[in-house]
Short mmCIF file of all heavy atoms in Angstrom, two decimals:
data_model
loop_
_atom_site.label_atom_id
_atom_site.label_comp_id
_atom_site.label_asym_id
_atom_site.label_seq_id
_atom_site.Cartn_x
_atom_site.Cartn_y
_atom_site.Cartn_z
N ALA A 1 18.85 14.66 -19.07
CA ALA A 1 18.15 15.86 -18.51
C ALA A 1 17.83 16.88 -19.58
O ALA A 1 17.23 17.91 -19.30
CB ALA A 1 19.02 16.48 -17.39
N CYS A 2 18.28 16.65 -20.83
CA CYS A 2 17.91 17.49 -21.97
C CYS A 2 17.02 16.81 -22.91
O CYS A 2 16.58 17.40 -23.94
CB CYS A 2 19.23 17.97 -22.65
SG CYS A 2 20.34 18.91 -21.63
N ASN A 3 16.63 15.56 -22.60
CA ASN A 3 15.79 14.81 -23.50
C ASN A 3 14.33 15.35 -23.51
O ASN A 3 13.72 15.57 -22.48
CB ASN A 3 15.75 13.32 -23.02
CG ASN A 3 14.90 12.43 -23.88
OD1 ASN A 3 13.69 12.49 -23.84
ND2 ASN A 3 15.60 11.65 -24.65
N LYS A 4 13.79 15.60 -24.73
CA LYS A 4 12.52 16.23 -24.81
C LYS A 4 11.40 15.41 -24.23
O LYS A 4 10.42 15.95 -23.71
CB LYS A 4 12.25 16.52 -26.34
CG LYS A 4 13.12 17.65 -26.92
CD LYS A 4 12.74 17.93 -28.30
CE LYS A 4 13.61 19.06 -28.94
NZ LYS A 4 13.29 19.33 -30.33
N ASP A 5 11.51 14.07 -24.36
CA ASP A 5 10.48 13.22 -23.80
C ASP A 5 10.43 13.36 -22.25
O ASP A 5 9.37 13.41 -21.64
CB ASP A 5 10.71 11.76 -24.20
CG ASP A 5 10.51 11.48 -25.66
OD1 ASP A 5 9.79 12.32 -26.35
OD2 ASP A 5 11.09 10.55 -26.17
N ASN A 6 11.58 13.41 -21.64
CA ASN A 6 11.62 13.60 -20.20
C ASN A 6 11.09 14.91 -19.79
O ASN A 6 10.39 15.08 -18.74
CB ASN A 6 13.05 13.44 -19.70
CG ASN A 6 13.57 12.06 -19.72
OD1 ASN A 6 12.77 11.06 -19.63
ND2 ASN A 6 14.86 11.85 -19.87
N ILE A 7 11.41 16.00 -20.54
CA ILE A 7 10.86 17.33 -20.27
C ILE A 7 9.32 17.29 -20.34
O ILE A 7 8.63 17.86 -19.47
CB ILE A 7 11.47 18.39 -21.21
CG1 ILE A 7 12.98 18.47 -21.03
CG2 ILE A 7 10.82 19.73 -20.99
CD1 ILE A 7 13.71 19.22 -22.17
N GLU A 8 8.76 16.67 -21.34
CA GLU A 8 7.35 16.58 -21.51
C GLU A 8 6.66 15.80 -20.40
O GLU A 8 5.58 16.13 -19.94
CB GLU A 8 6.98 15.95 -22.92
CG GLU A 8 7.16 16.90 -24.02
CD GLU A 8 6.37 18.16 -23.89
OE1 GLU A 8 5.15 18.09 -23.65
OE2 GLU A 8 7.04 19.22 -24.05
N LEU A 9 7.36 14.74 -19.88
CA LEU A 9 6.81 13.96 -18.75
C LEU A 9 6.66 14.86 -17.58
O LEU A 9 5.60 14.82 -16.89
CB LEU A 9 7.79 12.83 -18.43
CG LEU A 9 7.60 11.54 -19.20
CD1 LEU A 9 8.70 10.58 -18.78
CD2 LEU A 9 6.22 10.89 -18.91
N ILE A 10 7.63 15.72 -17.31
CA ILE A 10 7.54 16.64 -16.15
C ILE A 10 6.39 17.63 -16.32
O ILE A 10 5.62 17.90 -15.44
CB ILE A 10 8.87 17.36 -15.88
CG1 ILE A 10 9.87 16.36 -15.28
CG2 ILE A 10 8.67 18.54 -14.92
CD1 ILE A 10 11.15 16.97 -14.78
N LYS A 11 6.33 18.19 -17.50
CA LYS A 11 5.28 19.19 -17.74
C LYS A 11 3.85 18.59 -17.72
O LYS A 11 2.91 19.32 -17.34
CB LYS A 11 5.50 19.85 -19.10
CG LYS A 11 6.73 20.76 -19.15
CD LYS A 11 6.88 21.44 -20.50
CE LYS A 11 8.03 22.41 -20.49
NZ LYS A 11 8.21 23.06 -21.82
N LYS A 12 3.74 17.34 -17.98
CA LYS A 12 2.41 16.68 -17.97
C LYS A 12 2.06 16.11 -16.60
O LYS A 12 0.87 15.86 -16.35
CB LYS A 12 2.40 15.55 -18.96
CG LYS A 12 2.38 16.00 -20.40
CD LYS A 12 2.38 14.84 -21.37
CE LYS A 12 2.41 15.24 -22.79
NZ LYS A 12 2.48 14.08 -23.71
N CYS A 13 3.04 15.89 -15.71
CA CYS A 13 2.76 15.21 -14.44
C CYS A 13 1.94 16.11 -13.51
O CYS A 13 2.07 17.33 -13.54
CB CYS A 13 3.96 14.71 -13.79
SG CYS A 13 4.94 15.96 -12.89
N ASN A 14 1.14 15.47 -12.70
CA ASN A 14 0.41 16.24 -11.64
C ASN A 14 1.10 16.13 -10.35
O ASN A 14 0.93 16.96 -9.48
CB ASN A 14 -0.97 15.66 -11.57
CG ASN A 14 -1.80 15.78 -12.83
OD1 ASN A 14 -1.75 14.82 -13.58
ND2 ASN A 14 -2.35 16.88 -13.14
N LEU A 15 1.94 15.11 -10.14
CA LEU A 15 2.67 14.90 -8.93
C LEU A 15 4.02 14.28 -9.25
O LEU A 15 4.06 13.27 -9.92
CB LEU A 15 1.87 14.00 -7.97
CG LEU A 15 2.37 13.94 -6.45
CD1 LEU A 15 1.24 13.44 -5.61
CD2 LEU A 15 3.60 13.08 -6.30
N LEU A 16 5.08 14.88 -8.78
CA LEU A 16 6.48 14.43 -9.01
C LEU A 16 7.02 13.91 -7.68
O LEU A 16 6.99 14.66 -6.68
CB LEU A 16 7.32 15.48 -9.60
CG LEU A 16 8.81 15.17 -9.83
CD1 LEU A 16 8.94 14.09 -10.90
CD2 LEU A 16 9.59 16.40 -10.26
N PHE A 17 7.51 12.64 -7.71
CA PHE A 17 8.01 12.05 -6.44
C PHE A 17 9.51 11.67 -6.64
O PHE A 17 9.87 10.86 -7.42
CB PHE A 17 7.19 10.82 -6.11
CG PHE A 17 7.55 10.14 -4.80
CD1 PHE A 17 6.82 10.50 -3.62
CD2 PHE A 17 8.55 9.19 -4.75
CE1 PHE A 17 7.14 9.91 -2.44
CE2 PHE A 17 8.85 8.61 -3.48
CZ PHE A 17 8.17 8.98 -2.33
N PHE A 18 10.30 12.32 -5.78
CA PHE A 18 11.75 11.99 -5.75
C PHE A 18 12.03 10.87 -4.72
O PHE A 18 11.73 11.03 -3.58
CB PHE A 18 12.60 13.24 -5.40
CG PHE A 18 12.75 14.24 -6.48
CD1 PHE A 18 11.97 15.38 -6.51
CD2 PHE A 18 13.73 14.06 -7.44
CE1 PHE A 18 12.15 16.34 -7.48
CE2 PHE A 18 13.90 15.04 -8.46
CZ PHE A 18 13.09 16.18 -8.48
N THR A 19 12.68 9.81 -5.19
CA THR A 19 13.05 8.76 -4.30
C THR A 19 14.37 9.16 -3.54
O THR A 19 14.97 10.17 -3.86
CB THR A 19 13.31 7.49 -5.07
OG1 THR A 19 14.49 7.57 -5.89
CG2 THR A 19 12.15 7.08 -5.98
N GLY A 20 14.73 8.28 -2.66
CA GLY A 20 15.96 8.57 -1.88
C GLY A 20 17.22 8.09 -2.65
O GLY A 20 17.15 7.52 -3.72
N GLY A 21 18.41 8.39 -2.02
CA GLY A 21 19.65 7.97 -2.66
C GLY A 21 20.78 9.03 -2.24
O GLY A 21 20.94 9.24 -1.06
N ASP A 22 21.32 9.68 -3.22
CA ASP A 22 22.33 10.69 -2.97
C ASP A 22 21.86 12.00 -3.57
O ASP A 22 21.67 12.11 -4.80
CB ASP A 22 23.64 10.22 -3.69
CG ASP A 22 24.79 11.23 -3.50
OD1 ASP A 22 24.58 12.36 -3.04
OD2 ASP A 22 25.90 10.92 -3.94
N GLN A 23 21.71 13.02 -2.72
CA GLN A 23 21.15 14.31 -3.15
C GLN A 23 22.05 15.00 -4.16
O GLN A 23 21.61 15.73 -5.00
CB GLN A 23 20.77 15.20 -2.02
CG GLN A 23 21.86 15.49 -0.99
CD GLN A 23 21.69 14.53 0.23
OE1 GLN A 23 21.49 13.39 0.06
NE2 GLN A 23 21.87 15.08 1.38
N LEU A 24 23.35 14.74 -4.06
CA LEU A 24 24.25 15.39 -5.04
C LEU A 24 24.08 14.80 -6.44
O LEU A 24 24.32 15.52 -7.44
CB LEU A 24 25.71 15.20 -4.62
CG LEU A 24 26.37 16.31 -3.76
CD1 LEU A 24 27.81 16.00 -3.41
CD2 LEU A 24 26.28 17.67 -4.50
N ARG A 25 23.57 13.60 -6.57
CA ARG A 25 23.27 13.09 -7.93
C ARG A 25 22.15 13.90 -8.55
O ARG A 25 22.17 14.21 -9.74
CB ARG A 25 22.82 11.64 -7.83
CG ARG A 25 24.03 10.61 -7.66
CD ARG A 25 23.47 9.18 -7.60
NE ARG A 25 22.68 8.84 -8.78
CZ ARG A 25 23.15 8.38 -9.96
NH1 ARG A 25 24.50 8.27 -10.03
NH2 ARG A 25 22.39 8.10 -10.95
N ILE A 26 21.19 14.30 -7.73
CA ILE A 26 20.05 15.12 -8.25
C ILE A 26 20.52 16.44 -8.73
O ILE A 26 20.26 16.80 -9.92
CB ILE A 26 18.95 15.26 -7.21
CG1 ILE A 26 18.38 13.91 -6.77
CG2 ILE A 26 17.85 16.18 -7.77
CD1 ILE A 26 17.43 13.95 -5.66
N THR A 27 21.26 17.18 -7.92
CA THR A 27 21.66 18.54 -8.29
C THR A 27 22.67 18.54 -9.40
O THR A 27 22.66 19.37 -10.32
CB THR A 27 22.13 19.32 -7.11
OG1 THR A 27 23.22 18.57 -6.49
CG2 THR A 27 21.03 19.56 -6.10
N SER A 28 23.63 17.61 -9.33
CA SER A 28 24.74 17.63 -10.37
C SER A 28 24.16 17.18 -11.69
O SER A 28 24.79 17.66 -12.77
CB SER A 28 25.89 16.70 -9.94
OG SER A 28 25.43 15.38 -9.82
N ILE A 29 23.18 16.36 -11.80
CA ILE A 29 22.64 15.91 -13.07
C ILE A 29 21.60 16.98 -13.60
O ILE A 29 21.59 17.26 -14.77
CB ILE A 29 21.95 14.54 -12.91
CG1 ILE A 29 23.13 13.50 -12.72
CG2 ILE A 29 21.13 14.22 -14.17
CD1 ILE A 29 22.53 12.05 -12.38
N LEU A 30 20.79 17.59 -12.72
CA LEU A 30 19.68 18.41 -13.17
C LEU A 30 20.10 19.87 -13.30
O LEU A 30 19.47 20.61 -14.10
CB LEU A 30 18.50 18.29 -12.24
CG LEU A 30 17.79 16.94 -12.12
CD1 LEU A 30 16.49 17.07 -11.36
CD2 LEU A 30 17.53 16.31 -13.49
N GLY A 31 21.03 20.31 -12.50
CA GLY A 31 21.36 21.74 -12.45
C GLY A 31 21.67 22.33 -13.78
O GLY A 31 22.53 21.87 -14.58
N GLY A 32 21.00 23.46 -14.15
CA GLY A 32 21.32 24.14 -15.42
C GLY A 32 20.76 23.48 -16.66
O GLY A 32 21.13 23.95 -17.76
N THR A 33 19.91 22.51 -16.52
CA THR A 33 19.35 21.80 -17.69
C THR A 33 17.87 22.21 -17.89
O THR A 33 17.18 22.77 -17.01
CB THR A 33 19.38 20.32 -17.44
OG1 THR A 33 18.47 19.94 -16.41
CG2 THR A 33 20.82 19.83 -17.10
N PRO A 34 17.34 21.85 -19.07
CA PRO A 34 15.90 22.10 -19.30
C PRO A 34 14.95 21.36 -18.32
O PRO A 34 13.89 21.86 -18.05
CB PRO A 34 15.69 21.60 -20.73
CG PRO A 34 17.05 21.69 -21.40
CD PRO A 34 18.01 21.35 -20.30
#
């Protein structure tokens, strides 16, 4: 979640799609990161 390539992917995308799974994985991995 701090990887520059991943950050650039988000900044370049026109549509971001989150798949299903466990919502706590999303917040615990992404929270407070670039």
Side-chain angles (χ1 to χ4, degrees):
C2 299
N3 182 285
K4 290 183 180 179
D5 291 338
N6 287 334
I7 296 165
E8 285 303 308
L9 274 175
I10 286 189
K11 289 183 177 179
K12 289 178 181 177
C13 80
N14 303 93
L15 194 160
L16 178 63
F17 185 92
F18 282 101
T19 68
D22 180 352
Q23 53 263 46
L24 267 180
R25 281 181 57 86
I26 299 175
T27 55
S28 63
I29 291 173
L30 298 190
T33 68

